[in-house]
């Protein structure tokens, strides 16, 4: 018997609803983005994000059901992002999911946002274990070792700024709009020379990351050039910054893949859409002889299909939530097996 899971994602500034069949097939995947509303502020404003979710939630939910040609009686369960994220934004999706599950007498499953990003890969390529996931987004930079479905071991994480956060801050220094990642990536590919910025490796055996110092190095370079009355070349700054981020991410991922003898490496999260990072990882793992996969761009950024993919495995494993579920902005990635 087929399982259809309706999934809701509202952790930040996308209102998204999807219906997933058997954990791997997207029946519908509707996303309402708020980027235009937040651009003028240079980042996401939580209160505005929450208000937009309230306005869009019912519309997006109805559209996902319509596109899938699915009735509530055909659904197996309702899944929703429980955390991490902006607490006000999370609560809109959670309360919508609880109401829908209650009215239609469906099981409710609270899903971790990062687990969703990782499981986006299962929508395009079967996951083979043990595998290593590099999660890079606006708020997260993590290396996660998975030995089976539902088993997460965080072996490395950012100690300060996440990669995507650093991209946005550097873009602001270069007077580029939010979100900064795509603009930095594009600009970096226009340069043939790069401003030399430091690589932060931390301890010799560490898989942790740190991008705050790199961000500060870019800001200091800009201030020093301004004080000397010299113009910076934005493309060269962007290339120097991106080269540093990509080199560190790639080198640590390769080292971890060797140490844990993984069968597969996957990238996940919004920054995995970055052309420079994707190319570097693809080339590195081609040399290593380890299969490397990254989802298509539409599944890298926040969406509900990824939440449905993770929730399916939770459902099969017998994981269930209840109507007392609350938003968990600091929710840790823990195994459900």
């Amino acid at each position: 018997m087929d399982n259809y899971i309706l999934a809701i994602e509202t952790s930040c500034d996308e209102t998204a609803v999807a219906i997933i069949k058997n954990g791997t097939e997207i029946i519908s995947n509707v996303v309402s983005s708020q980027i235009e509303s937040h651009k003028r502020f240079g980042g996401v404003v939580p209160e505005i994000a929450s208000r937009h979710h309230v306005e869009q939630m019912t519309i997006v939910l109805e559209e996902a059901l319509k596109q899938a040609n699915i009735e509530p009686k055909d659904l197996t369960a309702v899944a929703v992002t429980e955390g991490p994220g902006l607490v006000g934004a999370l609560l809109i999706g959670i309360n919508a999911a609880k109401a829908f599950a209650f009215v239609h007498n469906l099981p409710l499953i609270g899903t971790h946002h990062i687990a969703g990003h990782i499981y986006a890969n299962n929508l395009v390529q079967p996951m083979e274990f043990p595998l290593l996931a590099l999660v890079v987004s606006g708020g997260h930079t993590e290396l996660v070792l998975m030995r089976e479905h539902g088993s997460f071991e965080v072996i490395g994480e950012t100690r300060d700024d996440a990669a995507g956060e650093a991209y946005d801050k550097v873009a602001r220094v270069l007077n580029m709009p939010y979100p900064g990642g795509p603009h930095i990536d594009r600009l970096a590919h226009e340069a043939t020379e790069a401003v030399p910025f430091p690589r932060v490796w931390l301890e010799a055996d560490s898989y942790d990351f740190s991008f705050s110092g790199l961000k500060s190095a870019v800001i200091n370079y800009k201030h020093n050039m301004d004080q000397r009355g010299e113009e910076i070349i934005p493309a060269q700054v962007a290339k120097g910054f991106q080269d540093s981020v990509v080199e560190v991410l790639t080198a640590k991922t390769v080292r971890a893949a060797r140490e844990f003898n993984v069968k597969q490496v996957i990238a996940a999260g919004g920054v995995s859409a970055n052309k420079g990072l994707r190319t570097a990882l693809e080339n590195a793992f081609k040399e290593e002889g380890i299969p490397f996969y990254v989802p298509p761009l539409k599944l890298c950024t926040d969406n509900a299909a990824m939440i449905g993919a993770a929730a399916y495995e939770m459902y099969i494993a017998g994981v269930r939530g209840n109507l007392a579920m609350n938003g968990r902005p600091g929710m840790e990635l823990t195994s459900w097996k």
Side-chain angles (χ1 to χ4, degrees):
M1 181 179 175
D2 292 327
N3 289 301
Y4 292 91
I5 293 183
L6 182 143
I8 297 173
E9 152 64 27
T10 60
S11 65
C12 191
D13 60 339
E14 276 90 18
T15 311
V17 180
I19 295 175
I20 303 300
K21 178 181 177 181
N22 297 332
T24 58
E25 185 179 345
I26 300 174
I27 306 302
S28 65
N29 189 23
V30 181
V31 180
S32 175
S33 176
Q34 304 176 12
I35 286 178
E36 292 302 319
S37 296
H38 298 282
K39 264 185 179 178
R40 57 182 167 151
F41 302 107
V44 177
V45 180
E47 176 66 18
I48 293 175
S50 298
R51 289 177 181 274
H52 278 308
H53 287 312
V54 171
E55 293 168 358
Q56 295 296 317
M57 189 72 257
T58 303
I59 298 169
V60 174
L61 178 58
E62 290 177 348
E63 182 63 23
L65 288 166
K66 179 182 176 182
Q67 287 186 16
N69 194 26
I70 289 279
E71 297 291 331
K73 64 181 176 61
D74 301 319
L75 295 170
T76 307
V78 178
V80 63
T81 302
E82 188 175 357
L86 303 173
V87 66
L90 288 167
L91 286 171
I92 307 305
I94 288 170
N95 283 299
K98 289 198 290 189
F100 192 93
F102 177 76
V103 168
H104 299 290
N105 195 29
L106 291 166
L108 181 66
I109 302 171
T111 307
H112 194 284
H113 182 74
I114 297 303
H117 274 305
I118 292 171
Y119 271 90
N121 285 273
N122 213 34
L123 294 166
V124 290
Q125 179 70 34
M127 297 165 79
E128 293 185 35
F129 305 100
L131 69 75
L132 182 68
L134 172 65
V135 182
V136 274
S137 67
H140 303 270
T141 304
E142 297 167 341
L143 275 172
V144 182
L145 178 66
M146 295 184 66
R147 302 185 190 276
E148 61 177 331
H149 280 300
S151 169
F152 304 99
E153 182 183 346
V154 179
I155 62 171
E157 59 190 337
T158 185
R159 296 184 183 178
D160 40 60
D161 289 355
E165 187 180 2
Y167 266 94
D168 287 338
K169 289 176 179 177
V170 168
R172 200 173 305 161
V173 171
L174 298 178
N175 295 317
M176 303 179 97
Y178 171 85
H183 300 287
I184 295 288
D185 188 27
R186 173 187 53 77
L187 199 59
H189 284 87
E190 295 177 4
T192 54
E193 296 182 21
V195 176
F197 291 118
R199 274 65 169 156
V200 181
W201 300 106
L202 302 174
E203 301 82 11
D205 61 345
S206 175
Y207 289 120
D208 284 352
F209 303 97
S210 173
F211 297 109
S212 180
L214 172 61
K215 169 206 68 184
S216 296
V218 175
I219 294 171
N220 290 337
Y221 173 78
K222 172 73 163 56
H223 287 168
N224 289 337
M225 292 290 281
D226 288 346
Q227 289 168 2
R228 292 202 298 263
E230 298 178 29
E231 289 287 330
I232 65 166
I233 301 176
Q236 293 183 1
V237 175
K239 180 171 173 54
F241 168 77
Q242 177 152 296
D243 285 352
S244 178
V245 173
V246 168
E247 183 179 335
V248 172
L249 289 174
T250 303
K252 293 205 173 196
T253 306
V254 168
R255 181 159 59 84
R258 289 174 184 163
E259 178 179 340
F260 294 99
N261 194 29
V262 298
K263 292 182 179 178
Q264 189 182 80
V265 176
I266 60 177
V271 182
S272 65
N274 181 286
K275 182 180 176 183
L277 179 60
R278 289 167 83 106
T279 302
L281 289 167
E282 286 167 359
N283 292 339
F285 285 106
K286 187 175 181 181
E287 287 185 16
E288 292 292 317
I290 301 174
F292 169 75
Y293 303 103
V294 61
L297 299 184
K298 66 180 180 180
L299 294 178
C300 288
T301 51
D302 290 353
N303 65 90
M306 66 185 197
I307 300 302
Y312 170 79
E313 295 297 335
M314 297 176 74
Y315 178 80
I316 296 301
V319 180
R320 303 288 186 274
N322 57 56
L323 295 179
M325 184 188 299
N326 204 349
R328 297 170 61 189
M331 184 178 182
E332 293 187 2
L333 180 62
T334 54
S335 300
W336 62 72
K337 279 193 178 179

